Amino acid sequence: MTEQSERVERPEEAESADHCRALTERAVARVRLDPSRQVLDHNRLAGPWVEGPLRPRPDLTAFPSGHPLPPSLRAWLAYDSGMLERHGWFDRGGALAPRTLGEIAVVEYGELWGSCFEPFSALFGECFLLPGGSDSRRVLSVGPHGERDGLGEYPVFALDVDDLPYAVLMYPGFDVYLAETAGVLPPDGRPGYDSLKHDPRYAARMRTHARGRLKGEYDLLCL
């Protein structure tokens, strides 16, 4: 690891307007301008950012496994939980309800394609579905051991079944996912779901997750 990447991955030096809680607060500020705006312009099924009265959940601090919520997610939940609730994050009692990667894939893609992801569920631990894509999906993965980057953030993966089903590291954390989806960060523009591995702001964090989850790779092909 280079001296530069070591500096980027140290939380006391990496925190900035483009990371973690600060980036999430920028996304929240953007959503506040028009909370009824659709989360995804290309997929109306995702619904608006805020539907009805705000439902903040500042009481949530940890996942059912005991692993702490990332700072970005806590910042978003302090604003609202409705969008995540619509995507199956909570049970009827209002507690966080993680699923396995295979469970999410079967619901989203059906048994034929979705079952291809089940053998890899143990690698992804607690998973939560996020709005994103049309044929593809976005999943926040807490991991079997709560593996986080230097800022305490968990990765977001894309699932795709266009050719062969595979999972690919797309965002280094909920912070970057939320900011790009809300329009705070413009789309990267480079080809490929894992294009942020080339972004100097996020490359070190992406490498951390790739090493911790996929032995240095950025995707996992489900054969």
Side-chain angles (χ1 to χ4, degrees):
M1 184 180 293
T2 66
E3 181 180 352
Q4 181 180 8
S5 65
E6 287 176 347
R7 287 200 303 270
V8 170
E9 290 174 7
R10 290 177 59 189
E12 68 269 25
E13 295 180 357
E15 179 65 56
S16 73
D18 289 325
H19 296 274
C20 213
R21 184 180 296 273
L23 182 57
T24 306
E25 289 173 350
R26 292 172 59 196
V28 170
R30 176 63 62 88
V31 171
R32 285 183 189 275
L33 296 176
D34 186 7
S36 62
R37 179 170 63 90
Q38 295 292 308
V39 177
L40 302 172
D41 293 334
H42 60 278
N43 186 351
R44 295 281 169 167
L45 293 177
W49 282 103
V50 176
E51 188 173 57
L54 289 169
R55 296 192 293 277
R57 292 294 307 273
D59 57 302
L60 296 174
T61 60
F63 294 107
S65 60
H67 299 307
L69 266 61
S72 61
L73 182 56
R74 292 189 66 178
W76 175 256
L77 287 171
Y79 170 63
D80 187 46
S81 64
M83 182 263 286
L84 302 181
E85 182 180 332
R86 294 198 309 271
H87 284 77
W89 280 53
F90 302 96
D91 62 21
R92 291 184 178 180
L96 285 166
R99 292 180 283 172
T100 68
L101 185 73
E103 287 170 340
I104 289 176
V106 166
V107 170
E108 297 300 311
Y109 292 123
E111 183 68 31
L112 178 63
W113 288 110
S115 62
C116 298
F117 292 92
E118 183 54 43
F120 302 106
S121 288
L123 295 174
F124 289 81
E126 295 170 304
C127 290
F128 297 87
L129 181 67
L130 291 163
S134 49
D135 295 330
S136 62
R137 300 292 185 270
R138 311 286 180 264
V139 173
L140 177 73
S141 167
V142 179
H145 307 293
E147 301 92 334
R148 295 173 286 163
D149 62 23
L151 293 174
E153 296 287 334
Y154 305 93
V156 173
F157 288 84
L159 309 183
D160 199 304
V161 295
D162 190 29
D163 293 315
L164 289 174
Y166 70 106
V168 54
L169 178 60
M170 188 171 184
Y171 297 101
F174 181 76
D175 55 340
V176 185
Y177 159 82
L178 188 70
E180 185 175 279
T181 306
V184 171
L185 297 176
D188 181 68
R190 299 181 181 93
Y193 289 118
D194 59 355
S195 61
L196 287 178
K197 68 185 181 183
H198 303 297
D199 190 312
R201 295 169 298 179
Y202 305 116
R205 292 177 60 191
M206 293 283 282
R207 284 196 301 272
T208 295
H209 292 307
R211 290 167 179 162
R213 297 299 186 88
L214 303 177
K215 299 181 179 180
E217 301 294 329
Y218 288 86
D219 57 25
L220 182 64
L221 188 62
C222 303
L223 298 175

